[in-house]
Amino acid sequence: MGKRILSAFAGLAAGAALFAGGAHAEESVEVLHWWTAGGEAAALNVLKDQLEEQGVTWQDMPVAGGSGVQAMTVLRSRVTSGNAPTAVQMLGYDIQDWANEGVLADLSDLAAKEKWDDVVPKALQRFAKNSDGQWIAAPVNVHSTNWMWANKKIFDEVGVEGEVKDWDELIAVLDKIKEAGYTPIAYGGQPWQDATVFEAVVLSTGGPEFYKKALNDFDPEALGSDTMKTAFDRMSKLHEYVDPNFSGRDWNLATAMVINGKAAVQFMGDWAKGEFLRADLKPGEDFVCQRFPGTQGTVLFNSDQFVMFQVGEDKRDAQIKLASAVMSPTFQIAFNKVKGSVPARTDVPGDELDACGQKGMKELAAANESNQLFGSLAHGYGAPSAVKNAVFDVVTAHFNGEYTSDEAVKALVEAVSAAQ
Ligand code: BGC
């Protein structure tokens, strides 16, 4: 009885505090994101926990669909109906598109206080600030797309030793794997995944300058070149090594095929590593990470950024807490260890990351130094979404046999020009 009176009294007191002191106990952030795979959700929990420790409640708004295609559609309808979330996971050019609509919050005071200018890589700042130089997003990580993930047991069984250096070696390895009775490539047939593989193939086929000309600058000559035709031919070649059920498969289910030893390799960004880690596998022992053969030395990057929308005064404090938490060095390490990416700050040590993460971090710094760091087209850092989607359409139609390579090259030139 006494206890009940006491707790009723405590409830009253808490209510009074709320009334007198503003919305402190009620602080919350609503966050729209597409991190629904196991490794992704685990990484996001690091952020949720950190905010909850600061008394900020997390209202989760997950929209499944790799690379955020569906999430961006949902976002559009939320903003149109005047109900923008506090923060949204977003990529590159999409951030700039939203900035141009004048609906984003300014984080510049926080950024100045925490010296983001000095620690966030310049390649990311370009996207995290609007045209007036105001900070509108907090970058969580740097991912890279030109990776190959392999099942170590299968590689050992067919005698792969060391790195698979180039395209010819890759084909030789895939043939051996096929002969041994495995599905060589774990493949998810969705447009963004086709494009993720395609950009690595373009880079491997034409080299870094060609990649930049074709998939960052959209030079019509590069797009319509023989080199591009070879890249499409190579996509057709890869098609010979996928299983019959590839169509529509989610990326994490493809990763699971490599984890379970059903397939040997997956060509995918380093978010795939989050799935291997979550399955308790060790890099170098159970799985292999290496650059897509023939792309060593070059890094195709993308970065998940939390874009802040204009919210009412009552939500502003929590929004700033979220942005500050995202940028804190301890969070950047804890999160990226789980996510598979590397920190979006140049001043944090990499020694807590696994071997693949440390390799990724070194390669990112070196590629930045030598100007071999380019935006991933498939993940929003090569072009605004109209052009990106035009490329997706052609690449997917070709991969599914609707175009010959010659037709695909022509269609690519036309589709890009129409979308520009
Ligand atoms: C994002 C990653 C995400 C992946 C799969 C990429 O565009 O940058 O964070 O894990 O898509 O959804």
Side-chain angles (χ1 to χ4, degrees):
M1 183 62 141
K3 237 188 189 168
R4 239 159 79 192
I5 293 175
L6 212 75
S7 72
F9 182 74
L12 254 178
L18 237 182
F19 190 70
H24 199 69
E26 291 286 304
E27 278 195 334
S28 70
V29 285
E30 192 194 7
V31 184
L32 195 158
H33 63 88
W34 65 90
W35 285 330
T36 54
E40 295 174 324
L44 194 60
N45 279 337
V46 176
L47 184 56
K48 283 187 195 167
D49 292 349
Q50 184 153 336
L51 279 167
E52 271 164 14
E53 269 168 34
Q54 296 181 51
V56 178
T57 313
W58 182 277
Q59 277 177 261
D60 208 33
M61 180 141 198
V63 181
S67 90
V69 183
Q70 286 84 344
M72 289 303 103
T73 311
V74 171
L75 173 63
R76 173 63 60 193
S77 71
R78 285 283 306 262
V79 180
T80 309
S81 61
N83 185 24
T86 319
V88 180
Q89 177 196 357
M90 219 184 273
L91 302 170
Y93 280 91
D94 286 341
I95 304 174
Q96 293 300 307
D97 284 350
W98 280 107
N100 292 337
E101 298 202 22
V103 289
L104 303 185
D106 182 7
L107 301 171
S108 300
D109 288 348
L110 177 71
K113 193 172 120 209
E114 297 184 346
K115 300 199 165 45
W116 295 3
D117 272 290
D118 299 343
V119 295
V120 174
K122 291 279 180 280
L124 305 192
Q125 288 194 29
R126 195 186 140 221
F127 294 96
K129 291 178 179 177
N130 66 14
S131 53
D132 295 330
Q134 293 167 329
W135 283 89
I136 45 170
V140 189
N141 61 9
V142 185
H143 268 305
S144 169
T145 61
N146 56 314
W147 285 104
M148 174 170 94
W149 308 93
N151 179 300
K152 177 85 165 49
K153 228 169 110 217
I154 302 181
F155 262 25
D156 287 347
E157 190 184 321
V158 302
V160 181
E161 278 164 24
E163 289 235 323
V164 182
K165 278 187 222 65
D166 54 23
W167 177 260
D168 291 342
E169 280 193 24
L170 173 64
I171 296 305
V173 166
L174 294 175
D175 282 336
K176 278 193 206 157
I177 294 166
K178 203 170 181 175
E179 262 165 46
Y182 300 101
T183 297
I185 304 174
Y187 196 92
Q190 294 172 344
W192 74 269
Q193 296 190 66
D194 296 331
T196 304
V197 178
F198 178 71
E199 67 184 24
V201 169
V202 167
L203 176 62
S204 173
T205 307
E209 283 319 306
F210 180 79
Y211 175 86
K212 179 174 182 297
K213 267 197 203 146
L215 298 185
N216 281 178
D217 301 341
F218 300 94
D219 169 38
E221 225 172 87
L223 291 175
S225 63
D226 288 346
T227 307
M228 192 55 87
K229 180 178 174 290
T230 306
F232 277 112
D233 284 343
R234 288 180 169 186
M235 288 300 286
S236 306
K237 181 73 189 164
L238 294 184
H239 194 286
E240 294 173 16
Y241 301 100
V242 308
D243 72 323
N245 300 321
F246 75 92
S247 192
R249 178 184 285 133
D250 287 333
W251 68 270
N252 54 319
L253 300 183
T255 313
M257 291 168 70
V258 179
I259 291 175
N260 299 333
K262 297 230 156 51
V265 303
Q266 183 184 21
F267 309 123
M268 189 45 61
D270 41 15
W271 45 91
K273 195 184 68 187
E275 298 299 298
F276 287 98
L277 299 181
R278 191 142 167 85
D280 254 339
L281 303 191
K282 304 266 169 309
E285 283 171 34
D286 308 308
F287 70 96
V288 175
C289 60
Q290 74 147 80
R291 291 290 164 186
F292 186 93
T295 72
Q296 295 85 339
T298 304
V299 172
L300 302 184
F301 80 94
N302 72 304
S303 159
D304 294 300
Q305 309 209 20
F306 277 117
V307 174
M308 304 298 165
F309 277 75
Q310 284 166 10
V311 289
E313 266 312 305
D314 57 327
K315 300 228 175 88
R316 182 71 181 150
D317 189 47
Q319 185 176 56
I320 293 294
K321 279 188 182 150
L322 171 61
S324 179
V326 162
M327 289 309 299
S328 81
T330 44
F331 165 76
Q332 291 260 337
I333 294 168
F335 175 89
N336 285 301
K337 254 165 65 177
V338 182
K339 183 68 171 71
S341 37
V342 303
R345 299 180 60 117
T346 51
D347 63 337
V348 295
D351 44 6
E352 279 189 40
L353 299 182
D354 59 62
C356 299
Q358 295 196 15
K359 179 175 151 80
M361 231 171 134
K362 270 198 210 111
E363 289 174 350
L364 175 67
N368 189 32
E369 270 299 293
S370 59
N371 290 324
Q372 304 291 295
L373 176 65
F374 302 105
S376 154
L377 172 74
H379 296 270
Y381 282 80
S385 56
V387 171
K388 177 182 97 169
N389 291 332
V391 177
F392 282 18
D393 287 349
V394 176
V395 170
T396 293
H398 170 267
F399 194 74
N400 291 298
E402 288 169 41
Y403 291 138
T404 64
S405 296
D406 274 319
E407 287 164 352
V409 166
K410 274 201 204 95
L412 188 66
V413 175
E414 281 163 20
V416 166
S417 136
Q420 271 170 337

